[in-house]
Every structure is written in C-alpha cells, then in structure tokens.
Amino acid sequence: MSETAAPGPAPVPSSGTVHWIGAGLSTGGGLAALCAAADRVRLWHRTEERAGRALAGLGLTGRAEPRAYTPRALAAELAPGDVVVSMLPAPEHAELLAACVRGRAHFACSSYVSDAVLDQLPAATAAGVVVLTEAGLDPGIDHLFAHGLIARARAEIGADTAAEVSLTSYCGGVPAVPNDFRYRFSWAPAGVLNALRSPARYIEAGAETTAPRPWEVTRPHVVDGEPFEVYPNRDSVPFVAQYGLPPAWKPQTFVRGTLRLSGWLDAWQPVFAELREGDDRRIAQLAQELATRYPTTDADRDRVILAVTLDVQAAGGRTWSGRYLLDMEGDAEESAMARCVSRTLAVGVRGILRDALRPGLHRAAETPERSEEWLAELAGEGIDFTLRTDG
C-alpha cells in the first residue's frame, strides 16, 4: 500500500509494538500477519493462560506474548507509538481509546464509529494518535467494494451526468452446511439480537425509509442463482456521502444490509416473538439460551457472502452495472469470518506501523485509490473476490 501521510499534526512515531485485545471468534490470520510485521506483539485475553491457549491454537506460541487483560494492566504496559487493536465489543472501545490518548498510542478496530469514539477525536488528533475504524468485513471490505464500483461508474458515465442509481450491499456469515436454525453465530449472540432490535434507515423508491423492526422487511435476494434472504440494518443514508456518490446521481435504492440463508425468516419466528415483547433483561437471557442451544464447535465450518452491486441509469438511456462478490468458506485452520475481519484489520494496522496515516479518524478507505490498494493487499492475504461490470 502506497499511502502517504497528509499535512497536519504529525503522528506519534510507531514503536513497533502491537497490543491485540481479545481472542474471540474474529481473531485469525490477521494476528499472525502482525506477528510478522511488528517488532513485538502482545495478546491480551481474560487470563494469561487463555491467551496462551489462543496463541497455541493459532500456531503463534513464542511469536506473541500472552497477557491477562484489565484496563489497568494494559495502561501499565502502553508506550507512545504502540498500536492497540481492539477485538472487544464496540461499547468498550471508548475506554480503550481514552487510554491510548493518555498514553499517546494508536488505536484500531473493525467496528463502526461510535459517538463515544467521535467525542475523543479532537484530543486524539492533537495527541498525534491515529484512530482506525470500520476496517473489517462489514464494515470494511464492503466500503472498499463500494468505492471501487462508484469510481468505475464515474469514469464511464461521468460524475456530472444526471443518473438514477441503485446500490445494495449485503453481507452475512452463515453455516457452510445449512442447519435447521439457518444460522451460525460468528459473533456474540447478544450483539446479533440487539442489532435486530435497532431500526434501519435506507433509501427505497427514491425516498428515505425507516424499518422499526428490520426483519419485518426481509425479502428474497438471489446471488449467482442461489436464493438468500436480506434485510436492511443500521443507517444506510450517511454512506451516500461517505462513498462519494456524485450529487448529479439520485439514489433510487441505497441499502446496506444483512444476508441470511433462505428459510431464516421462518426459522427465527420464535426469536422475533421474543424481540417484540422482551425487555433488555429478557433479551440478554435469550442470547445466553441461544448460545447454549446453538454452540459453535471446532467441527463447524462457516461461510461468508458479501455482494455489493451498483446499477446506474443515466440520462439518455445509457446504463452501467457492476458487482463485487466475496464468497468464502472457512476451514480447519481459520473461519471465513476470522480471515476476512482480522486480515483486513491487519492491512490497516500495517499502515500505522509504517507511520503512513495522519493523526485522527480513518476508515478502511476514504478514496477509490486507497480502496484499490487495500483490495490488492487483501488478495495477497488470501481474501478472494470477483468483479463483474457491464456497460
């Protein structure tokens, strides 16, 4: 990747040390990649013993140092220019970032930017701290695909040409061998349930639309002849600007959402009934029940599908369409989800280690040029995807 630091506050020079916090389902080959790129790597987990077992499972014994994580223990070992990589749930990122600002260490995660993180950006920037976010699968690779498609369409159609566009971005982690539940937990069940409880805002038929219960607008979606089910999630509308959609292009459809196996909507009806009626306490209890009922075992194999499609209908009848597709199965060495999330995050962290990013907020990519560089690195990391265009 050939990015260069922009003018502005100078970043705290990299120390070459990486602190990887957490060893859950999304920790995979990215940690190994950083063991090769960094001078020193520490894996922080609930206990030092569990951290050691996680390193052994990844074949990294002796290449990273196991640590028992507490905020105080991390702060005691944090030095200026270190990089903290958080694999913890998003609500815990603000505390970690605060520790990074105090210690003048850089911060990276794969999660969406939260308000609590945004509140700390002025202090982080002034301290020379790089804050890398949205650098996983979704969000992350989906951003790269969208930037790439829009750049290609702009080159063919022209940014000043009036056009109507449809952009859909659907991502899902599913069981490679379908089960009765039509799902495999690839992250905390509580997070899955609470995401379903959050309203979704998106553009449909040219107008902003909100679904209070996203699963209630689930619809069929076909990818290469295979039927799936999809529904919108979170707030898609701000990404019209984040992806740089030209002002002359009017979005008729703009949806970032979740992809599930066909039959998921029926299989999850008992869960939806609980989501409609349950309070926070009951939903937390339900998450524990589902984790027990549908455990993820070492024998399970997951599958990740990410399909990002852009269709442009320009004035005068000219059309352009393109699609990126990532369809990957996990293996005995690494789940597909861990591969996509952790290796994408490692690409960004390597940029921090090279002192290539300016202080302040970054996402997986903010420009088409950076997107192409990230995708080239990911292809070299074993992340396979295809691009099809027509027009």
Side-chain angles (χ1 to χ4, degrees), residues 11-15 79-85 97 100 104-108 128-131 352 355 357:
V12 178
S14 169
S15 68
D82 287 1
V83 184
V84 171
V85 180
L97 178 56
C100 288
R104 301 187 70 226
H106 307 296
F107 175 83
V129 170
V130 174
V131 181
I352 300 175
D355 294 323
L357 301 181

Side-chain angles (χ1 to χ4, degrees), residues 152-379:
R152 286 172 170 80
R154 285 171 64 110
E156 293 293 329
I157 297 295
D160 296 329
T161 302
E164 294 184 345
V165 303
S166 169
L167 186 144
T168 60
S169 178
Y170 292 116
C171 183
V174 301
V177 178
N179 54 17
D180 290 342
F181 195 48
R182 315 303 287 175
Y183 188 66
R184 175 189 187 274
F185 286 108
S186 55
W187 56 304
V192 175
L193 298 184
N194 284 320
L196 284 167
R197 298 172 77 194
S198 301
R201 190 166 71 120
Y202 54 103
I203 296 174
E204 187 173 54
E208 293 184 11
T209 303
T210 299
R213 295 169 176 160
W215 73 84
E216 292 183 345
V217 293
T218 298
R219 63 177 184 82
H221 188 70
V222 176
V223 178
D224 281 359
E226 183 177 356
F228 293 95
E229 296 175 350
V230 296
Y231 60 89
N233 61 25
R234 301 178 67 94
D235 188 353
S236 299
V237 176
F239 291 90
V240 173
Q242 184 172 317
Y243 290 165
L245 207 66
W249 295 7
K250 179 174 176 56
Q252 292 299 305
T253 302
F254 195 99
V255 183
R256 300 178 72 256
T258 299
L259 179 146
R260 295 287 180 251
L261 292 176
S262 182
W264 171 82
L265 187 65
D266 287 339
W268 274 55
Q269 286 303 319
V271 176
F272 301 145
E274 296 264 21
L275 294 180
R276 288 188 183 94
E277 305 298 333
D279 56 17
D280 290 345
R281 182 176 178 182
R282 172 55 192 148
I283 299 308
Q285 182 183 18
L286 176 62
Q288 294 178 341
E289 293 171 2
L290 292 174
T292 300
R293 198 179 310 159
Y294 303 102
T296 299
T297 71
D298 290 340
D300 290 329
R301 298 290 175 263
D302 70 330
R303 179 185 177 194
V304 164
I305 305 103
L306 170 60
V308 181
T309 301
L310 176 67
D311 296 308
V312 183
Q313 177 75 51
R318 187 174 180 189
T319 63
W320 186 94
S321 63
R323 187 195 69 179
Y324 272 106
L325 175 63
L326 182 156
D327 189 348
M328 181 183 301
E329 288 191 14
D331 53 32
E333 179 181 341
E334 186 177 24
S335 73
M337 185 64 69
R339 181 178 297 127
C340 291
V341 172
S342 70
R343 297 192 188 196
T344 306
L345 190 51
V347 169
V349 173
R350 286 199 296 256
I352 300 175
L353 291 171
R354 292 194 297 268
D355 294 323
L357 301 181
R358 67 187 185 278
L361 180 66
H362 298 263
R363 296 178 174 88
E366 284 107 5
T367 67
E369 294 77 17
R370 287 281 309 281
S371 295
E372 292 301 319
E373 293 170 357
W374 277 65
L375 289 175
E377 284 207 41
L378 288 175

